[in-house]
Amino acid sequence: MIVILMTWWSRRADYANYRAFGLTAPQMILLLTTETALTFWLPIVVGSSLACLALAPWISPVTARLLAGDYGTLLLTVSLTPMLGALLLGRRSAFEVAKGG
């Protein structure tokens, strides 16, 4: 989650430009959600699924329950990230963007 937020923080001027060109708050959240899905959710789901399939013969029921809990926590945390990103990026004026602030 920290990696996602830091990536967005480093690109805040880009997002401010989107806002300056008329992107609304719901559209910004949709943009952040799409970016999160393609950059983080998809690799997490695919990688975890392949790892579980490859290791299935050696995973005990207790280990499977622990993995499921950790996996669910990870996906829940990553699911909250677009809202945190929208709060982190906030609203910036076109003047702030133009002066590099």
Side-chain angles (χ1 to χ4, degrees), residues 28-84:
M28 181 66 103
I29 292 172
L30 178 63
L31 174 76
L32 296 174
T33 303
T34 304
E35 188 172 308
T36 302
L38 294 175
T39 309
F40 293 96
W41 290 336
L42 186 63
I44 287 170
V45 170
V46 170
S48 299
S49 299
L50 291 175
C52 286
L53 286 173
L55 299 174
W58 299 283
I59 296 176
S60 70
V62 174
T63 305
R65 276 186 255 140
L66 289 172
L67 285 173
D70 287 344
Y71 185 65
T73 303
L74 176 64
L75 288 179
L76 177 65
T77 304
V78 172
S79 298
L80 298 174
T81 314
M83 297 301 169
L84 292 173

Side-chain angles (χ1 to χ4, degrees), residues 10-24:
S10 67
R11 295 179 46 217
R12 63 189 183 277
D14 297 335
Y15 295 117
N17 279 328
Y18 297 151
R19 291 268 182 139
F21 290 124
L23 201 68
T24 64

